[in-house]
Amino acid sequence: MSMINTQGIAIYLQTADATPLDLVPTAISSTDPAVITVADATGLTEGDIVLFGTTGFDELNDKFFAVGSINTTNGTFTAIGADLTDTTGTLGASPTATIYTAADQVKLCLSAIDIAADSVNEIDVSTFCEVGTMAGKKTLGTLTLTGFCDPDDVAMGELQLADTDATMRFLEIVMPGTGNGYLIGRVTLSGLSYTVPIEGAVGFTMTGTQNKKLVWRY
Amino acid sequence: MMSAYYVRQMAETWAATCTSPYYSTMNMEQDPSDEIWFTLEFDTYGYQKESFCDNWVETGSITLVFFGVAGVGWETLVQRAEQDTAIFRANKDASMKLVITGMDSPDEISAGDVPFYALSVTLDYEYRP
């Protein structure tokens, strides 16, 4: 068994002023990874983020993936972690692939990030005859970002914007090394707070909700 | 372990603002004739990563070692050590890379009072390059 050391991890957050590129897939292969054909793949870079919509494939719809290898001659790119080998879907009538490039992201220099899973509230349905519970309302998973304040870091400005605009953004955690993949999901950040020690570095903590659960793709 | 070059250089700049004359004893043979003088010693606990990017912090200590005349009591040197330590600590790195985070009380380090009467005061620091 091997483990992934966190040295070299990179964390990216969608910017408030992101201007994604909308592409129309003309074909999507049932392979692992899926190969997406578009009219023009120039302008794409490995590592860009793609959000698929109404593709006809449940494995892709409303999900984020990282762009893998690109073939500008054929107009194709792969989506890392998109395994369609067992799919029963077919290309829909109005498929979309929204591309977020490096210009639409900012790198976060965090000291820690904690990701908590979804939870389900239990409803007590016990009677005098027997004890029992049933599943109640699902609570979305949360995350906590921790770091140090740097006014020269553009990411600090983005976090301050995120704290007030309540806008959903994608968050990507790229694992170091080759083939270790990435965690990606959609989050809403809020609750920016600061710690000011007597001596030391000013730090911040920020909480967020996983609107779309962070998933590890590789 | 040795403190970073920046830490040593900044500390020597601050030492020059003190009342007592400062003599560097880092690879230097000194034989001051001053009744009271001091030097600096450096120690580090190493570097620690602070973020997933390339942010590191070095923690360590700067020790001010004061030397006084043997056989004339403790009051003069202790007073001077306290005064100069306060002056040293009052200096600030404008770039905020080096920050003093703590201080110990003066410690008598000489074995008796021969050939010098010596005190040391250790200051803890954080250095973020």
Side-chain angles (χ1 to χ4, degrees), chain B residues 66-78:
Chain B
F66 294 87
F67 296 93
V69 177
V72 296
W74 59 270
E75 292 92 345
T76 302
L77 189 62
V78 170

Side-chain angles (χ1 to χ4, degrees), chain A residues 3-110:
Chain A
M3 286 171 275
I4 303 171
N5 193 292
T6 57
Q7 186 179 67
I9 268 188
I11 303 171
Y12 299 95
L13 180 70
Q14 177 187 334
T15 58
D17 61 355
T19 53
L21 174 67
D22 289 320
L23 300 180
V24 178
T26 57
I28 297 178
S29 68
S30 302
T31 54
D32 178 21
V35 178
I36 295 85
T37 305
V38 294
D40 186 1
T42 58
L44 297 183
T45 303
E46 188 172 337
D48 286 346
I49 300 300
V50 54
L51 173 64
F52 293 104
T54 60
T55 61
F57 299 91
D58 290 339
E59 296 90 340
L60 301 181
N61 288 343
D62 198 31
K63 293 183 175 67
F64 291 96
F65 295 87
V67 170
S69 56
I70 301 160
N71 187 321
T72 53
T73 303
N74 297 340
T76 62
F77 66 92
T78 61
I80 301 173
D83 181 0
L84 298 193
T85 51
D86 295 328
T87 189
T88 58
T90 56
L91 189 65
S94 304
T96 61
T98 302
I99 305 292
Y100 296 85
T101 67
D104 300 318
Q105 310 169 40
V106 66
K107 188 174 185 180
L108 303 180
C109 289
L110 304 176

Side-chain angles (χ1 to χ4, degrees), chain A residues 9 11 107-112 148 199-201, chain B residues 49-53 55-56 99-101 126 128:
Chain A
I9 268 188
I11 303 171
K107 188 174 185 180
L108 303 180
C109 289
L110 304 176
S111 58
F148 294 101
E199 296 284 2
Chain B
K49 209 160 193 282
E50 284 200 307
S51 80
F52 289 114
C53 301
N55 302 106
W56 295 82
V99 177
I100 301 296
T101 58
E126 289 181 353
R128 290 178 172 84

Side-chain angles (χ1 to χ4, degrees), chain A residues 122-175:
Chain A
E122 284 191 342
I123 300 173
D124 185 359
V125 293
S126 300
T127 65
F128 286 115
C129 300
E130 63 180 357
V131 174
T133 61
M134 62 181 286
K137 183 181 176 184
K138 181 180 174 183
T139 302
L140 294 175
T142 59
L143 67 161
T144 304
L145 313 181
T146 309
F148 294 101
C149 295
D150 181 357
D152 295 330
D153 187 358
V154 294
M156 197 69 229
E158 283 295 333
L159 292 176
Q160 290 177 310
L161 279 172
D163 186 40
T164 56
D165 66 12
T167 300
M168 289 190 288
R169 293 171 166 75
F170 71 77
L171 181 79
E172 183 193 21
I173 303 172
V174 181
M175 301 296 176

